[in-house]
Amino acid sequence: MQPIQLFDPASSTYTYVLFDEATRDALIIDPVDNQLERDLNVLRQYGLKLAWTVETHAHADHITSAGQLAEHAGAKTAAPAGCGITTAAVQLADGDVLPFGGEHIKVLHTPGHTAGSMSFVWRTHVFTGDTLLIHGCGRTDFQSGSAEALYHSITQVLFKLPDTTTVWPGHDYQGRTHSSIAAEKSGNPRVADKTEQEFITIMESLNLPKPQRMDEAVPANLTSGVRHDAGGAGAIELRAAAGYAGDVSPALACAWWQARDAVLVDVRTDAEREWVGFVPGAVAIAWKQWPGMALNASFDASVQAAVPAGKKLVLLCRSGVRSVAAAKRATELGLEAYNILEGFEGDPDTEAHRGNRGGWRMRGLPWRQG
Ligand SMILES: N[C@@H](CCC(=O)N[C@@H](CS)C(=O)NCC(=O)O)C(=O)O
Ligand SMILES: [Fe+2]
């Protein structure tokens, strides 16, 4: 039995539909938002009940239709636990099994293109997302990518599958549809007969342009592609401000941070983060200052050490007040500093935010209970 392979020409993305021939329960991998009608038609045409939408990672080049498929087709959403897709009903871990009718896929954690990236094995097929492409692989220069991790995932995880396994990639930019583990082992120019160091050198010299839709796609995909109107969860906003580089919406701050264009500094105290929730991967540098208090030398030293030259600094506090003070101070220190609007929780007392508040946590951006 073969998977149904569907192609989105705008982003060269492959979407896959797998199903149980007897029960008609189905699962879709990496659906694309502007192909929603096509995918609903495929489900109708084959008489399928969509049990799951599954992501291989949080995509940077297109927006998923997972949230819409959940709404229209009643599917449950699943995504890799390490991708920060907080709206997914099931957060997948390595080795998990996702059943649909009498069939199932098995989850393999294959980090490298992004830290959370996963591949899925179904019968004699593997869906590799952007971990392994046909005679290529996903880039590793943004979204917590790592060439070292990718080399390991390809050679030590995917290449351990049987040679006859069919490889179904997340993209192909040259019209190829599938490959096999044997063909990639012997013919993939990035890994065949290459050492880890040679692979890293290749990946570091790719110099690919950033995906055109990245700033829009990453924040939208962190909420299963459910986009909201201005002020909503996925709103992208940058406003000028006096005394620092600007105010940014939580979604835009998150996109910059995930693209590694910015360092995210959480200026709340340890106690606040433990009590309310923390943002994994954010640098914690508490802003402790009140009228009459001398300048906070430890803040200055820590923030300067945290932000490499050429990167933006985005600052998060509880409600968006301390982060403004910290942004002003960081600007005096020579940094390009932005305040994240509404903070982690949103500001219940600010008229401008009333009925439209949320903050980082409520907008479904990555966070964990303390
Ligand atoms: N030109 C494309 C760029 C696509 C891109 O960067 N794709 C990522 C996957 S999300 C990649 O890893 N590409 C590998 C490659 O192009 O070799 C766009 O603007 O969307
Ligand atoms: Fe990707």
Side-chain angles (χ1 to χ4, degrees), residues 176-195:
R176 295 162 297 191
T177 55
H178 61 284
S179 182
S180 69
I181 290 296
E184 294 309 315
K185 260 187 197 168
S186 62
N188 188 308
R190 295 197 182 159
V191 282
D193 301 322
K194 294 282 189 295
T195 63

Side-chain angles (χ1 to χ4, degrees), residues 56-62 113-114 129-130 138-139 142-143 171 173:
T56 54
H57 62 293
H59 309 281
D61 59 336
H62 68 271
H113 173 58
T114 73
D130 297 353
R139 60 198 289 172
F142 55 57
Q143 280 189 297
H171 299 282
Y173 301 99

Side-chain angles (χ1 to χ4, degrees), residues 89-133:
V90 170
Q91 299 286 328
L92 299 169
D94 186 56
D96 281 357
V97 162
L98 220 47
F100 52 107
E103 300 283 333
H104 66 268
I105 56 167
K106 185 164 178 228
V107 172
L108 297 178
H109 184 210
T110 49
H113 173 58
T114 73
S117 287
M118 288 179 162
S119 301
F120 306 114
V121 176
W122 174 61
R123 296 181 167 219
T124 56
H125 307 275
V126 62
F127 302 88
T128 53
D130 297 353
T131 301
L132 178 61
L133 303 178

Side-chain angles (χ1 to χ4, degrees), residues 125-364:
H125 307 275
V126 62
F127 302 88
T128 53
D130 297 353
T131 301
L132 178 61
L133 303 178
I134 299 173
H135 284 23
C137 61
R139 60 198 289 172
T140 52
D141 57 337
F142 55 57
Q143 280 189 297
S144 60
S146 156
E148 207 181 335
L150 188 57
Y151 186 81
H152 182 270
S153 294
I154 294 173
T155 60
Q156 302 302 312
V157 181
L158 295 175
F159 284 180
K160 300 286 183 218
L161 294 169
D163 276 356
T164 50
T165 308
T166 309
V167 172
W168 299 95
H171 299 282
D172 193 86
Y173 301 99
Q174 296 171 43
R176 295 162 297 191
T177 55
H178 61 284
S179 182
S180 69
I181 290 296
E184 294 309 315
K185 260 187 197 168
S186 62
N188 188 308
R190 295 197 182 159
V191 282
D193 301 322
K194 294 282 189 295
T195 63
E196 181 178 317
Q197 197 46 56
E198 285 167 335
F199 178 76
I200 293 171
T201 306
I202 294 171
M203 296 311 288
E204 280 173 354
S205 56
L206 290 180
N207 287 321
L208 295 168
K210 182 170 138 172
Q212 284 166 20
R213 297 184 65 198
M214 181 151 179
D215 288 347
E216 168 198 18
V218 173
N221 286 327
L222 295 179
T223 53
S224 300
V226 179
R227 284 183 284 181
H228 298 257
D229 298 336
I236 297 291
E237 206 182 321
L238 169 59
R239 292 187 211 151
Y244 54 101
D247 292 311
V248 291
S249 58
L252 181 57
C254 188
W256 283 351
W257 175 48
Q258 296 242 335
R260 294 178 165 193
D261 291 339
V263 173
L264 173 61
V265 167
D266 186 337
V267 300
R268 294 172 300 156
T269 62
D270 293 350
E272 273 180 290
R273 284 182 291 109
E274 271 160 35
W275 179 41
V276 186
F278 67 97
V279 178
V283 181
I285 307 175
W287 175 259
K288 295 175 187 163
Q289 196 153 43
W290 46 88
M293 181 180 168
L295 278 179
N296 185 340
S298 86
F299 176 85
D300 291 1
S302 307
V303 82
Q304 280 173 314
V307 186
K311 296 238 180 188
K312 298 177 175 72
L313 164 66
V314 289
L315 292 145
L316 182 73
C317 67
R318 184 185 64 81
S319 67
V321 174
R322 279 168 295 174
S323 50
V324 167
K328 287 183 176 163
R329 179 61 192 155
T331 304
E332 287 169 3
L333 298 171
L335 298 170
E336 183 186 340
Y338 296 83
N339 160 54
I340 299 179
L341 288 163
E342 307 164 41
F344 186 75
E345 289 191 272
D347 182 356
D349 301 323
T350 306
E351 187 60 42
H353 292 156
R354 206 156 278 155
N356 174 30
R357 51 171 218 263
W360 186 278
R361 178 174 61 164
M362 292 300 289
R363 296 192 184 289

